[in-house]
Amino acid sequence: MSTLFQNKFTRIIIPLFAILFFLSCQKDISNNNGEDTGIFPDFTTKVTATVVSGFVTDENNAAVIGASVNVGGSITSTDDYGFFEVKNALVVKDAAVVTVTNPGYFRGIKTFMAENGKSAFFRIKLIPKTNSGNIDAVAGGNVTLGNGMVIALPANAVVVASSNVAYTGSVNVAAHWIDPTAADLSQTMPGDLRGVNTDGYLKTLTTYGMAAVELTSASGELLQIATNKKATLTMPVPSAINGTAPSTIPLWSFDEAKGLWKEEGVATKTGNTYVGEVSHFSFWNCDVPNSYVRFDATVKDNAGNPIPYAWVKISVVGSPYNSGYGYTDSSGYVSGAVPDNAQLLLEVFTSYACGTSVYSQNFSTTNVNISLGVITVTTSLGTATVSGTVTDCTNMPVTNGYVVMLVNGQNFRYSLSNTGTYNFTTILCNSTASASFIAEDANSLQQSTTLVQSISAGANTIPNLQACGVSIQQFITYTIDGGAAISFTWPADSLMHSGNGGTTSTCYINGTSMSATPVQNVSFSFPTVGIAPGGVEILESFYSSQLGTQTTTSGAPVNITEYGNVGEFIAGNFTATVSTPAPIVNYTIVCSFRVRRNF
């Protein structure tokens, strides 16, 4: 958990983001005059994070399948539930970074303070990269969003990012305003709201609004603002915090590699907006730097069992909307930075969508770190213990697998024991809830059918789940001119089914190796109009890193052998002749594939 609390003079709180780690030995440093100076970040010391995991969803809270996830250089992909997991990742202690990449979306980036042997859990909601308007690069102009955010480019101020050559065409502006008062801020914002100020000190930040902006050409090339030119960015200030918003505020851009914000300018309050000049586009943030103390607690049920993935809310006493949030990890532990010298209220929920907490406690902070120790949730409302067994196709226990539970619109994933059992504690919005259970066998790549079961506060025994009958095998296998087969297989590799520019008229099938150096990939596309099992589509494009370039295709037929519902599978095969650019070389590609549908 990290802080978005404002400093002690204004005491406005915006939602927190979960770091799920101790803040190590870091602390604020004050000089003899009491002036806060902060600490210098350490980007060299690394530790091993035991397990970094989480769920990735889209703007509609649907699971994002096949997104690429990078944790300290260890790469994996999200599964059919949007889940990712990286074990024993070597990460930067002060600022470990999790980066999620998915076509059509801004990168989802989370930062956490890592401690050797600790785990971390995240829920990451990706922001769609939607074109908000166009500006002529030569004439300049504005793009205005419905919420009042404005991107203004001066004349002749755009270059191609890769070459720094002046660009003179139409500029596509993809932009999104991130509401600092939104309940899901912790899931959508990049980083953990820590930044490095102009003096090089690391600070926690209070946000008054963020913006994600990307400029591209008509052909999709990444564009940027030219050297010695500046664009103007206007961001709305929500009415709930407009009255306390300072007249001027530091502007911070996000360093995606380091996972921290960087102070880079000033914005001025004009009515209900902040207006500032920016020298490049990425994520931008209007923030006040804060002082803080370390907070931690462990959430358990009345039997002493940890409650993982619980949503913890901390707010100023008497001000429920002035609040911050974080998630417990698999051991029920949550930590982060909270305001010093404050009267605070801690509440425990199952998710931000639930209106009633199952636990609350007032506490106060001074200028020293605070631990609340073990928090025991004893209420009968919403605390459920769930247990059961999983067997394979031969009715033997599944020793390498997991159970996924969908409840209250969120997925939860629990590993099986070596005897095929599971037992966990969860929190419900109410005393009862309808939950869906699916078990998967990682050895046989088989899953159970979905079991819908009512669960309630107290003990719940789920009928045996047999992970059998539904294949979860995913692969792309192809040959070039009859050579050795080249294969991408899930979960060792990332496989993804996606649309073209957010539409569903074209289907892209992508495979990326998770272990090869350099990274290997393959991509091909075909239409989806009228697609059905037994049908034929026409191959539109094919790329393979073995060929090293985009190719043209002869329009070969793609035989669709399987086309299930979203979340199920698309499978098929094709034989095609593809050609490289001059000098033209023809290759024969024979390919078969099966991946999970994402739309």
Side-chain angles (χ1 to χ4, degrees):
M1 180 186 295
S2 74
T3 184
L4 294 182
F5 286 82
Q6 206 169 347
N7 64 35
K8 59 186 178 183
F9 298 104
T10 54
R11 288 299 181 208
I12 295 296
I13 302 177
I14 312 301
L16 299 171
F17 177 66
I19 290 184
L20 307 178
F21 285 88
F22 283 103
L23 297 183
S24 304
C25 61
Q26 299 192 36
K27 59 183 179 181
D28 286 336
I29 300 173
S30 297
N31 64 21
N32 293 332
N33 296 321
E35 181 183 351
D36 179 47
T37 55
I39 60 169
F40 290 109
D42 175 9
F43 297 113
T44 60
T45 302
K46 294 188 176 183
V47 296
T48 300
T50 306
V51 178
V52 180
S53 63
F55 287 94
V56 180
T57 58
D58 64 13
E59 68 277 20
N60 299 312
N61 295 313
V64 175
I65 303 168
S68 177
V69 182
N70 187 323
V71 182
S74 298
I75 301 174
T76 187
S77 60
T78 55
D79 66 9
D80 37 317
Y81 308 102
F83 180 80
F84 68 90
E85 181 179 76
V86 175
K87 296 181 179 179
N88 300 319
L90 188 63
V91 295
V92 175
K93 181 179 180 181
D94 278 5
V97 182
V98 179
T99 302
V100 180
T101 305
N102 194 55
Y105 290 85
F106 289 98
R107 287 188 182 92
I109 306 174
K110 300 304 177 189
T111 309
F112 62 96
M113 298 176 183
E115 186 173 354
N116 200 53
K118 291 287 187 179
S119 297
F121 174 80
F122 302 91
R123 290 193 183 275
I124 302 171
K125 182 184 288 189
L126 299 182
I127 298 171
K129 198 182 293 183
T130 304
N131 187 38
S132 301
N134 298 84
I135 299 174
D136 182 86
V138 174
N142 301 344
V143 166
T144 303
L145 279 63
N147 51 41
M149 178 175 159
V150 181
I151 300 93
L153 299 179
N156 300 305
V158 179
V159 297
V160 177
S162 61
S163 63
N164 208 36
V165 173
Y167 177 75
T168 59
S170 178
V171 179
N172 299 325
V173 181
H176 183 91
W177 175 64
I178 303 174
D179 185 349
T181 63
D184 63 352
L185 175 67
S186 64
Q187 298 184 35
T188 58
M189 72 177 190
D192 61 356
L193 275 175
R194 288 182 299 146
V196 179
N197 68 10
T198 53
D199 293 324
Y201 294 121
L202 184 63
K203 296 288 186 176
T204 56
L205 306 175
T206 297
T207 179
Y208 280 85
M210 305 182 196
V213 181
E214 183 177 280
L215 310 180
T216 55
S217 69
S219 61
E221 288 180 298
L222 186 64
L223 305 175
Q224 265 300 354
I225 302 171
T227 304
N228 299 323
K229 294 280 188 174
K230 288 192 175 182
T232 301
L233 181 61
T234 301
M235 285 187 274
V237 180
S239 58
I241 58 176
N242 189 45
T244 57
S247 58
T248 60
I249 193 169
L251 265 175
W252 309 69
S253 67
F254 190 70
D255 186 326
E256 296 188 6
K258 294 180 178 178
L260 296 171
W261 296 92
K262 177 183 177 182
E263 186 177 359
E264 233 185 315
V266 176
T268 301
K269 189 169 182 286
T270 303
N272 61 350
T273 66
Y274 274 122
V275 181
E277 290 186 330
V278 298
S279 59
H280 59 93
F281 275 121
S282 57
F283 290 95
W284 284 89
N285 201 348
C286 295
D287 295 271
V288 175
N290 307 315
S291 60
Y292 61 90
V293 294
R294 191 189 78 192
F295 158 88
D296 68 73
T298 300
V299 182
K300 295 186 177 183
D301 66 12
N302 55 8
N305 300 311
I307 301 179
Y309 321 132
W311 192 59
V312 178
K313 173 181 177 180
I314 296 178
S315 59
V316 168
V317 171
S319 301
Y321 294 104
N322 297 336
S323 54
Y325 314 96
Y327 288 99
T328 59
D329 67 6
S330 58
S331 67
Y333 179 79
V334 64
S335 77
V338 297
D340 59 2
N341 300 303
Q343 298 294 318
L344 305 175
L345 170 66
L346 179 146
E347 297 175 279
V348 180
F349 299 79
T350 180
S351 78
Y352 68 81
C354 299
T356 303
S357 65
V358 296
Y359 178 89
S360 65
Q361 173 184 341
N362 286 10
F363 70 101
S364 60
T365 58
T366 60
N367 60 354
V368 297
N369 297 336
I370 182 171
S371 175
L372 297 186
V374 174
I375 292 172
T376 302
V377 178
T378 58
T379 177
S380 60
L381 175 62
T383 305
T385 300
V386 180
S387 60
T389 58
V390 178
T391 55
D392 61 17
C393 291
T394 64
N395 293 316
M396 296 298 291
V398 173
T399 59
N400 180 21
Y402 50 87
V403 168
V404 175
M405 177 181 71
L406 173 64
V407 64
N408 297 322
Q410 289 189 328
N411 282 321
F412 299 81
R413 187 181 188 270
Y414 304 94
S415 297
L416 300 175
S417 71
N418 57 11
T419 59
T421 63
Y422 59 92
N423 186 297
F424 59 85
T425 299
T426 190
I427 304 176
L428 311 176
C429 284
N430 301 297
S431 57
T432 62
S434 177
S436 299
F437 294 87
I438 294 177
E440 296 198 354
D441 185 342
N443 290 337
S444 67
L445 294 180
Q446 294 275 317
Q447 76 173 35
S448 68
T449 56
T450 302
L451 172 67
V452 179
Q453 184 84 7
S454 178
I455 58 176
S456 58
N460 298 264
T461 302
I462 307 303
N464 180 69
L465 298 167
Q466 188 175 28
C468 180
V470 180
S471 171
I472 58 174
Q473 184 179 24
Q474 298 181 66
F475 60 88
I476 301 173
T477 299
Y478 63 98
T479 61
I480 301 175
D481 288 341
I486 302 165
S487 294
F488 298 80
T489 58
W490 178 87
D493 301 314
S494 173
L495 302 179
M496 183 169 59
H497 169 245
S498 62
N500 181 23
T503 71
T504 57
S505 61
T506 300
C507 162
Y508 278 86
I509 305 294
N510 302 278
T512 303
S513 65
M514 296 290 100
S515 57
T517 304
V519 172
Q520 302 294 311
N521 52 70
V522 63
S523 175
F524 51 89
S525 66
F526 47 84
T528 59
V529 178
I531 191 170
V536 176
E537 301 293 336
I538 301 301
L539 187 69
E540 293 181 333
S541 67
F542 181 87
Y543 171 84
S544 167
S545 54
Q546 281 74 24
L547 299 180
T549 184
Q550 188 69 40
T551 61
T552 57
T553 175
S554 58
V558 180
N559 306 302
I560 305 299
T561 58
E562 184 178 358
Y563 194 72
N565 296 321
V566 174
E568 296 179 337
F569 297 91
I570 176 174
N573 58 76
F574 61 85
T575 299
T577 299
V578 301
S579 304
T580 59
I584 296 175
V585 179
N586 296 325
Y587 298 92
T588 299
I589 307 296
V590 179
C591 177
S592 60
F593 61 91
R594 186 178 195 259
V595 300
R596 197 176 289 271
R597 283 190 59 195
N598 203 17
F599 66 85

